[in-house]
Amino acid sequence: MLPYYLGQGLRSLRCTPVLTGLMVLSIAMGIGAAMTTLTVRHLLSGDPLPGRSQHIYYPQIDATPSEEPRPNPLDMLDYTTAVDLWRAARADRQALVVDSPVKLQAPDSGEPASMATMLSTTADFFPMFQVPMAWGSGWSAEDDERRARVAVISWDLNQHLFGGTDSTGKMLRIRGSDVRIVGVLAPWRPSPQFYTVAGGRFAQGDTASYYAKPEDVMVPFFTGLQLNAGNFRQFTCWALPERPGHLENSPCVWLQLWVQLDDSAKVAGYRQFMDGYVRQQHELGRIRQTDNVRLPSLMQWLDYNGAVPRDARLQSWLALAFLGICLFNTIGLLLAKFLRRSGEIGVLRALGATRSMVFMQCLVEAALIGLAGGLAGLGLTLLGLWNVRQQPLEYADMVHLDLPMLALTFALAVAATLLAGVLPALRASRIDPALQVKSL
């Protein structure tokens, strides 16, 4: 029966080309707008570490001297707390993280010095976050302790300075100090750049910067503190540091610590360790709040900071509302189309067609409209995503239509049109054949 319904549906649609075109256009516009914004939101709200994020945690301890209870700790750690937790080595892996602007140059490249972003971190950063390498590798834990002058550079910086060739072993000059390149990242773009996310509660939804490209150069944590001394930015201070930018042992929070805990028992054990550390520091008079300790997982931390930009969230809801309006228009057009065929439907019923057959015929026509609308909507979606890529947004170059969203485009188009066609099809299937035949 399906080939028959398809044939009849195509014949009926060809008989009313203008009405058919309006319905296809309405569905295409709604699908194009909805899928453009949903694709962007899908890319921005995904898991940046699929299969591993449930093992990554972000320790929070409140070291502010205030006696007044706070609902949550500050988003970063002070130097003493961060380094103490890191040196205790109670996690499977752990990484201190801080970024800062830096001036760098490759002495042998002939390129002038330029400003870039440097990430100071520890050796576990690379295996913990599964950072891909094109050449070489990260540094070792021994390099962290001895403050080795080594660096890992990004794929983009390697392309710019060394023409995309293997640059391991070459020298890079950072603020007048030479470091040896030991690794080059393969193209890597976590979405968002989760390991530097902080302060999202205060950004009022302006969080597009979380989706910037990874840092151009990475160096051992303590090496970075030496190379770029005086150029680190405090997140929050409860007193002015003695020397701005020199934040070791300062009354400021400015560092992040990430830990890997491979099972629930280790999570509970690390939380007990944090509680014990806070009680110890309270007895020493350094930490006042003993119960303001948190250990959110990676995805909990991203949710807490509202990582998906407010504009992307708002646009997706507006686009879905626009799709709803397009569906209501399609319902009206389908209803008008089917009621115009009341005489034809009455004759079919008089010749023995059942209500279910008429209902199925109308639904097949709606599905064909949805399929055509999906094809046209795909084109509008691609056009919309191209337009997003032209915008001055940090995540613009990441926007693309992947296979799951492509399948969703057609599924949503057909499902939405079938939904829109149910009421008109029911109305058409209930046409009284006697009245229609009598009027002919």
Side-chain angles (χ1 to χ4, degrees):
M1 292 294 291
L2 184 58
Y4 170 78
Y5 289 139
L6 289 173
Q8 290 296 106
L10 289 171
R11 182 185 65 82
S12 175
L13 294 176
R14 285 197 297 267
C15 290
T16 55
V18 175
L19 194 58
T20 299
L22 287 174
M23 289 186 287
V24 170
L25 180 61
S26 179
I27 291 296
M29 291 179 64
I31 292 297
M35 291 311 302
T36 296
T37 56
L38 288 177
T39 298
V40 172
R41 184 163 183 176
H42 168 70
L43 293 171
L44 299 184
S45 60
D47 186 344
L49 283 179
R52 291 184 57 81
S53 61
Q54 69 273 23
H55 302 305
I56 306 300
Y57 293 84
Y58 187 76
Q60 289 181 276
I61 291 176
D62 190 352
T64 57
S66 174
E67 295 284 356
E68 184 178 348
R70 299 169 56 90
N72 291 291
L74 295 174
D75 285 12
M76 291 188 178
L77 297 173
D78 64 288
Y79 179 86
T80 299
T81 301
V83 174
D84 282 352
L85 296 181
W86 177 76
R87 290 198 183 281
R90 297 298 186 94
D92 294 294
R93 289 191 176 105
Q94 52 190 0
L96 289 167
V97 172
V98 63
D99 60 4
S100 57
V102 70
K103 186 177 182 180
L104 58 81
Q105 181 181 21
D108 300 329
S109 69
E111 293 287 335
S114 60
M115 293 301 297
T117 303
M118 180 179 75
L119 187 75
S120 303
T121 185
T122 49
D124 279 351
F125 179 90
F126 302 97
M128 184 164 71
F129 297 145
Q130 294 184 328
V131 182
M133 289 287 178
W135 296 287
S137 64
W139 54 84
S140 66
E142 290 75 18
D143 290 330
D144 281 326
E145 291 294 348
R146 64 187 182 89
R147 309 190 177 199
R149 296 298 177 97
V150 295
V152 171
I153 65 173
S154 69
W155 175 267
D156 288 344
L157 185 63
N158 187 65
Q159 293 285 336
H160 175 66
L161 294 180
F162 303 104
T165 60
D166 182 359
S167 60
T168 56
K170 296 183 179 180
M171 303 304 292
L172 190 68
R173 185 163 297 156
I174 300 176
R175 293 195 67 207
S177 298
D178 288 339
V179 299
R180 179 171 53 87
I181 298 172
V182 296
V184 177
L185 299 184
W188 182 53
R189 189 69 180 277
S191 175
Q193 188 179 294
F194 58 91
Y195 53 86
T196 56
V197 167
R201 293 175 296 157
F202 314 110
Q204 298 181 341
D206 186 13
T207 55
S209 60
Y210 293 163
Y211 297 85
K213 293 182 178 180
E215 293 77 8
D216 298 296
V217 58
M218 302 176 180
V219 299
F221 178 77
F222 297 103
T223 302
L225 298 190
Q226 290 179 337
L227 293 176
N228 212 25
N231 289 277
F232 291 93
R233 299 163 295 200
Q234 62 263 27
F235 182 78
T236 297
C237 295
W238 50 91
L240 291 176
E242 292 183 5
R243 293 186 299 165
H246 296 265
L247 303 179
E248 294 94 327
N249 303 311
S250 67
C252 300
V253 294
W254 57 292
L255 297 177
Q256 294 179 280
L257 175 68
W258 291 91
V259 298
Q260 177 182 323
L261 303 167
D262 289 337
D263 57 51
S264 57
K266 291 180 178 180
V267 175
Y270 197 86
R271 178 57 191 263
Q272 291 178 354
F273 158 67
M274 291 174 64
D275 290 337
Y277 173 79
V278 169
R279 287 194 298 270
Q280 178 197 58
Q281 295 296 307
H282 179 71
E283 293 174 359
L284 295 174
R286 193 177 73 85
I287 291 180
R288 301 291 182 90
Q289 303 293 333
T290 59
D291 57 351
N292 208 359
V293 177
R294 303 287 186 274
L295 188 62
S297 66
L298 168 57
M299 296 308 293
Q300 289 172 336
W301 181 244
L302 295 181
D303 289 340
Y304 177 73
N305 280 275
V308 178
R310 177 186 56 194
D311 290 347
R313 297 195 300 268
L314 178 61
Q315 288 168 5
S316 63
W317 286 115
L318 291 176
L320 289 174
F322 179 66
L323 175 59
I325 293 173
C326 292
L327 289 181
F328 278 114
N329 288 337
T330 304
I331 290 173
L333 293 172
L334 283 172
L335 191 58
K337 176 180 175 61
F338 294 156
L339 290 181
R340 284 179 57 186
R341 295 170 53 200
S342 297
E344 177 187 342
I345 293 173
V347 171
L348 290 175
R349 290 291 312 281
L351 293 176
T354 63
R355 284 184 175 180
S356 61
M357 293 173 66
V358 173
F359 180 77
M360 182 59 67
Q361 177 64 52
C362 294
L363 276 189
V364 168
E365 289 188 36
L368 290 173
I369 292 170
L371 184 60
L375 288 170
L378 174 61
L380 292 178
T381 300
L382 294 175
L383 180 62
L385 294 177
W386 174 85
N387 183 62
V388 172
R389 288 194 294 272
Q390 310 312 306
Q391 304 301 313
L393 300 169
E394 285 83 351
Y395 55 80
D397 60 316
M398 298 191 307
V399 175
H400 66 280
L401 188 65
D402 56 14
L403 187 59
M405 298 305 290
L406 176 64
L408 181 61
T409 300
F410 288 102
L412 183 60
V414 175
T417 315
L418 285 175
L419 181 63
V422 168
L423 178 61
L426 281 173
R427 179 68 181 82
S429 67
R430 295 179 181 276
I431 290 176
D432 189 340
L435 293 177
Q436 298 302 322
V437 172
K438 183 178 179 179
S439 65
L440 293 176

